[in-house]
Amino acid sequence: MELTVNGQTHTVDVDEDTPLLWVIREELGLTGTKYGCGIAQCGACTVLVDGVATRSCVTPASVVAGQDIKTIETVEETDVGKRVVEAWVENQVPQCGYCQSGQVLAATALLSETAQPSDEDIEYAMTNLCRCGTYNKIRAAVRQASEA
Amino acid sequence: MGIMDILNAAPTNVSRRGFLAGAGSLVLATSLPVRPARGQEASDAPAVQAFMELRADGTVLLKSPWIEGGQGVYTAMAQIVGEELDLSPEHFEVEIAPPGGPFGINGGFRITGGSASTRSSYTLMRRLGASARAMLIEAASAQLGIPAADLTTEPGVVVAPDGTRLGYGELASAAMDLPVPTDVPLRDPETFRYIKAPTPRIDVRAKSTGQASYAIDVTVDDMLLAAIRHAPRLGLAPDAVTNLSEIEAMRGVHSVHMLDGAVAVVANKFWQAQKALAAADITWTEGQAKWPMPADFSSARFRDTLAKASGEVTPVESNGDAASALDSAETVIEATYDAPFVVHGQLEPPSATARMNDDGTLDLWLPNQAPEQFVGRAAEVAGIDGSQVRLHSQILGGFFGRHFLYETANPFPQAIKLAQATGRPVKLIWSREEDFLRDAPRPLGLARFRAAVGPDGPTALNVEVVGEGPTGRWYNAPAGRDPSATEGISGKPYAIANTQIGQLYLQNPAVIGYWRSVGHSMHDFMYEGFLDEIAQAAGLDPFEMRLKMLENSPRHHTLLQRVGDLSGGWQPGPYAVDGVQRARGVAMASPFGSEAATIAEVSLDLGTVKVHNIWTAIDPGQIVNPAVIEAQVQSATALGVSQTLVEELVYENGEPTARNFDMYPILRPDQMPDVHVEIVESGAEMGGVGEPGLPTVGPAIVNAVAQLTGRRVRSLPLSKHDFG
Ligand code: FES
Ligand code: FES
């Protein structure tokens, strides 16, 4: 099947039901996208599919063939993504860092869609788990990125 | 966990590993000069060349004895060395020091745990930086022909009296060839620029852009990927894969392996291995395990067993005569408290990559908190000498105690076996389900309290802590001298005239482990909850009663007042906010050399407890990085709220009923309170910061819930209780 990831089209030879997560990590060698639970609970595997934050561990690759898939590796190629990363650095959000690829992409999707999110918008969009408990700082960073 | 615990656990019985025997000097060894490098005579000089590489571009590569897992230790090491070296922390690259040599401190007892890293290596790191700076000055002196005494430094440069400036980069190579001076004076703390400053962490950008690489991301040429399925109950062994040929024929599958208590599929890709494993029909039979799970084990029944247990109670702490005071008291209250098994739930699932080399050596890439111990075990498994093992420790995607050496909880012995069996490098990843199944959970704990209550509070307290602590399990600390089994009930600062605290040892059938703040993670909940019950029985305000009991303990007294102030003044409530009733609770703890006091504010939302605010005042004695301390208190608070509200690993029929975050929820973003931290630097000896923010959170919440609802919760988590 053909997948468009970070602007490049790749032909990959995998079973139809292979989750996008494992195609990205194992076939394309992009390891910024993380495996955390495999059942759509944690959001560590979040990627953008046509700009929408998507849990790639439960998304069969074949379903998103032809769509525009963006991973953390190219997040800084858009202005919103760049602002989010800067806000993450400035607020010193990450601890272990393992969830943060997904958090940054979830925030990028939110702010691309809604430049000035309300508290409810943030609560609704930022649902990824962080075992290190960086939630207060994530919220502060989203706020900051939305005000920039 | 452990370092401080183990130090305190004066052994009567030296374990097979000799751990306790050696551990007594661990902290000493890490604070003292280490073995010299490059053929120096044995001397008092720190091993500058081993720990640091000064590079031609003026940056420094520093080998940290401690692994980074989000706690900010790499930044702390850079701050401390940079302070003395006179180089800003941002010019440091920090990586984990390999096992052995000058890093394998004291015969292999290096542990990233016990919130001990920074405090136990503070002096060593300062001396490394100071000696390296002296070497740079010496090299500049030789180059310029100016006496070293006339030279000074500014960040990153040596400066001569005539204004000549030589960058550290230009001097690096010459400096590294010089002998390491001893007894270089350290900076006056009054002049610190990096230590005590909220220095940004050096790994944050990489972690915000997906560039940080963890064990699960390791790639090795020609490697195969493996997935594993463990026996559902520890102690069972695989009997057969009844559809073996079908599995072997699946796409990408290389081979299927029967391991100790597990079946592994090795394939070209992890997903192929995982998919094949899911299709495998495996039959299980009784097998061998060091700690087999009884087939009828249930956590609920085990809790009842602990509650009813009788037998010898080994004294841990006593003063006065609690027994007679209780006998003669007019008002005696008693209660039993318990806390459940909890998993670590670090977000990175465990993995290990093993490669057996043609020369008989072994390379291993994995997460770990104790490199020398892992090398020892790896050598045993591979049947080679420890000197033939090269360990590549990776930064941790969370740990909280997950990556110590636990008999059945680490993937690397299986990865080694698979590498040997296939003749290829193998990366083994445990799915989240397998992680839940074989994690070494925080033990289910229980304590029985009795108190004599007078008009001013408790006049006598008797506590029996029933069960087993991880330090007893893994390092043979005997009952009564295993701090992990009682800390948080023992070691409290309150003045009570008659106190008797003891441990009734009862083995836990599960493979138990260290969990962030260890015994404190549950015992402070029990003690501080019961303390509020005492206040209630005496008709006293819980905050005022604590203050009174701390009158002769100025450090704690101050801290409690500070958290009261931080929260805008103590007010238990209930009071209405936006038409909803809220109330507050307070608690204190003395974990890992630091002190903490917390006030929690809660309300009810459809019968469920909602935590709005957590105010914590923390006194770590001395500060290295206030921003890191604040972040660590945030993080510890999240885990504390999580275990108090929702976490519980239930066992039925010898198996955990939850295998992933669907059946075992952890704290979600919308459940996170606003956390307010005040750091109080009392100047006392430096304590830890990674764990101490956790123990007070549970009891402060539970005390607030009692204030709000009149219901006293003595068994966690709160989600078991309906407040509707
Ligand atoms: S790995 Fe996809 S949601 Fe957890
Ligand atoms: S930073 Fe560790 S899980 Fe979020």
Side-chain angles (χ1 to χ4, degrees), chain B residues 24 60 125 267 358 373 403 486 551 618 627:
Chain B
V60 171
M125 289 297 142
D358 292 342
Q373 292 180 50
H403 297 302
T486 60
E551 261 171 357
I618 182 166

Side-chain angles (χ1 to χ4, degrees), chain B residues 51-53 55 59-69 71-82 87-98 103 110 121 125 128 199-203 206-207 212-213 393-395:
Chain B
F51 276 95
M52 296 164 70
E53 182 191 321
R55 292 157 159 174
T59 64
V60 171
L61 174 65
L62 176 66
K63 308 263 166 97
S64 166
W66 321 111
I67 191 75
E68 177 64 56
Q71 79 282 40
V73 73
Y74 282 5
T75 305
M77 293 294 116
Q79 281 179 270
I80 299 166
V81 174
L87 185 69
S88 174
E90 76 218 40
H91 299 307
F92 281 76
E93 184 185 329
V94 184
E95 64 180 34
I96 182 70
F103 318 109
R110 169 165 46 137
S121 59
M125 289 297 142
L128 282 167
T199 306
R201 271 170 291 132
I202 57 182
D203 52 0
K207 287 176 172 176
S213 174
S393 304
Q394 305 295 305
I395 63 164

Side-chain angles (χ1 to χ4, degrees), chain B residues 2 9 36 87 98 125 149 174 212 216 226 238 353 373 388 428 439 533 547 585 597 608-609 621 631 659 718:
Chain B
L87 185 69
M125 289 297 142
I216 204 167
T353 304
Q373 292 180 50
Q388 296 172 285
L428 168 65
D439 190 9
E533 293 197 64
L547 273 181
T608 303
V609 174
R659 302 286 298 274
L718 290 170

Side-chain angles (χ1 to χ4, degrees), chain A residues 34 96 98, chain B residues 66-71 74 94-99 112 207 211-220 348-349 351-353 363-371 374 390-399 403 427:
Chain A
K34 300 303 187 197
C96 86
Y98 197 76
Chain B
W66 321 111
I67 191 75
E68 177 64 56
Q71 79 282 40
Y74 282 5
V94 184
E95 64 180 34
I96 182 70
T112 303
K207 287 176 172 176
Q211 299 306 306
S213 174
Y214 304 79
I216 204 167
D217 302 324
V218 165
T219 316
V220 176
E348 179 195 7
S351 66
T353 304
D363 281 277
L364 262 184
W365 293 260
L366 45 65
N368 78 86
Q369 295 177 247
F374 276 59
R390 272 183 301 273
L391 192 76
H392 310 272
S393 304
Q394 305 295 305
I395 63 164
L396 309 172
F399 58 121
H403 297 302
K427 174 158 79 176

